[in-house]
Amino acid sequence: MELRNLRAFVAVAGMGSFREAAERLHYAQSTVSVQIRNLEQELDCTLFSRDTRRVELTPAGRRFLPHAHRLLEAAGAARAVLHPELQGNARLRIRMPQSLAQLFLPQLLKQLHDRFPRTDLDIASCEYSLLPAELAAGSCDLAFLLAPGLEFDDLAYECLGTLDLVLASAPQHALADRTRIKAADFNGQVLLLPKHDCSYRMLFEQMLRDEKLSPQASVELGSLEALIRCLTKGNGIALLPRLCITRELAARELLVLPWTHPMLKASVLMIYHQRLHSSPELEALMDLVRACFRQN
């Protein structure tokens, strides 16, 4: 099985276009068409449906795509073993909330660089409304959110698991001695909000609006660490993943307020565009993330 044919197949599958795949591979479009036709003849099946304005994978093509990725990754790994000086730098652009970055990045970075030591990463916080445009344009390769689901048709996602959310405050806060927190208790409180940390914040604010509640003020912080430090000093209350404040809870710098609400579970979504243009490094990162969530 020719590697160049596999690369052409993965490129067309990722771009949804023979022309765009040819541009990316620096081939003539006719060359890519021949490579795909040769691969289809070798596999004795049709990989792409060409009877619409857009090139789409057939069911057989969708089943074959992950195997093509693995074959290319194995070939790249074998080449790197023999000629490590030929291994080029890859660059992955990831959108990840600070809460998830705090919890999982240290482990993920080590494992990824053990396998692909020359991979550069650009990791930034999520901006929910911009995700479709960033993923479609290729300015973002992969994104993560804490959210119940997605509203964007062009984006695909996997639910990796759930995290418990808690309403937290310092022990000296005025609500700390309550045996039960009701919606009305949010009136007059200072809310500490993560500036870019997921759509669960949007749900929290929507709940406040639906209940017609009137907090005293909200404080948006771009740093999750700064938010937690302000929280420990009694500067307000915040809704956060429990795992992000495990140390502060153990040290009794923070406590969980007794609030019961369906919102206190958040799904962790791994999001990519339907026309994902993959690479061995990106596939490896996605597999590492899946394994990380299975272990936690």
Side-chain angles (χ1 to χ4, degrees):
M1 196 171 293
E2 296 269 358
L3 291 177
R4 60 187 175 184
N5 295 346
L6 289 173
R7 292 191 189 97
F9 167 68
V10 168
V12 174
M15 305 301 292
S17 164
F18 279 79
R19 179 185 58 80
E20 293 179 25
E23 290 175 356
R24 176 165 295 219
L25 295 171
H26 305 292
Y27 290 153
Q29 184 173 333
S30 58
T31 301
V32 172
S33 297
V34 169
Q35 290 170 334
I36 297 299
R37 187 161 59 248
N38 290 342
L39 183 60
E40 289 178 326
Q41 290 174 351
E42 184 175 5
L43 296 172
D44 193 24
C45 66
T46 301
L47 298 173
F48 292 102
S49 172
R50 302 169 176 85
D51 57 357
T52 63
R53 295 183 64 184
R54 180 159 195 83
V55 176
E56 295 181 350
L57 286 166
T58 63
R62 287 194 293 272
R63 291 195 299 272
F64 182 65
L65 183 58
H67 297 281
H69 283 306
R70 285 195 285 272
L71 287 168
L72 290 173
E73 180 179 359
R79 188 181 300 110
V81 167
L82 297 174
H83 302 285
E85 73 281 0
L86 299 180
Q87 184 180 0
N89 283 56
R91 183 175 181 82
L92 300 179
R93 291 146 299 191
I94 311 299
R95 298 292 175 264
M96 179 179 285
Q98 289 187 29
S99 52
L100 293 182
Q102 176 182 314
L103 293 171
F104 300 112
L105 260 187
Q107 176 183 349
L108 290 174
L109 288 181
K110 182 180 188 310
Q111 292 175 336
L112 181 67
H113 282 141
D114 283 346
R115 294 177 61 179
F116 296 97
R118 297 180 65 184
T119 298
D120 297 330
L121 291 106
D122 175 1
I123 300 171
S125 298
C126 299
E127 188 68 41
Y128 184 78
S129 62
L130 299 180
L131 279 182
E134 288 190 318
L135 287 162
S139 57
C140 169
D141 299 302
L142 194 65
F144 297 87
L145 277 179
L146 283 167
L150 282 184
E151 304 169 348
F152 307 121
D153 293 338
D154 288 341
L155 301 185
Y157 68 91
E158 298 176 27
C159 181
L160 300 170
T162 59
L163 290 180
D164 291 330
L165 303 177
V166 294
L167 187 68
S169 77
Q172 67 270 29
H173 192 274
L175 295 181
D177 60 353
R178 301 290 179 93
T179 57
R180 179 170 175 263
I181 299 295
K182 305 184 294 296
D185 293 326
F186 289 97
N187 283 325
Q189 301 300 326
V190 174
L191 305 182
L192 303 179
L193 300 171
K195 192 172 184 63
H196 303 295
D197 209 31
C198 320
S199 57
Y200 75 79
R201 170 200 162 158
M202 295 190 299
L203 294 175
F204 185 41
E205 292 178 314
Q206 185 61 53
M207 182 275 292
L208 295 174
R209 288 192 293 268
D210 291 344
E211 298 283 347
K212 296 182 173 55
L213 302 175
S214 301
Q216 173 187 317
S218 63
V219 179
E220 290 187 314
L221 294 106
S223 162
L224 183 63
E225 183 62 28
L227 187 154
I228 293 173
R229 293 281 66 99
C230 290
L231 198 60
T232 62
K233 299 302 182 183
N235 288 307
I237 59 176
L239 185 69
L240 293 168
R242 179 188 284 271
L243 285 175
C244 289
I245 55 173
T246 301
R247 181 183 60 195
E248 288 78 12
L249 291 173
R252 299 186 179 180
E253 295 179 287
L254 293 176
L255 54 80
V256 174
L257 297 175
W259 183 47
T260 303
H261 194 279
M263 186 187 299
L264 297 178
K265 285 278 187 186
S267 297
V268 181
L269 307 182
M270 180 166 66
I271 308 161
Y272 47 91
H273 200 271
Q274 297 276 18
R275 296 185 286 114
L276 171 69
H277 180 71
S278 193
S279 66
E281 293 81 3
L282 182 58
E283 289 289 334
L285 177 62
M286 293 172 73
D287 285 341
L288 289 170
V289 170
R290 294 181 187 109
C292 187
F293 273 85
R294 284 196 298 268
Q295 294 165 7
N296 287 277

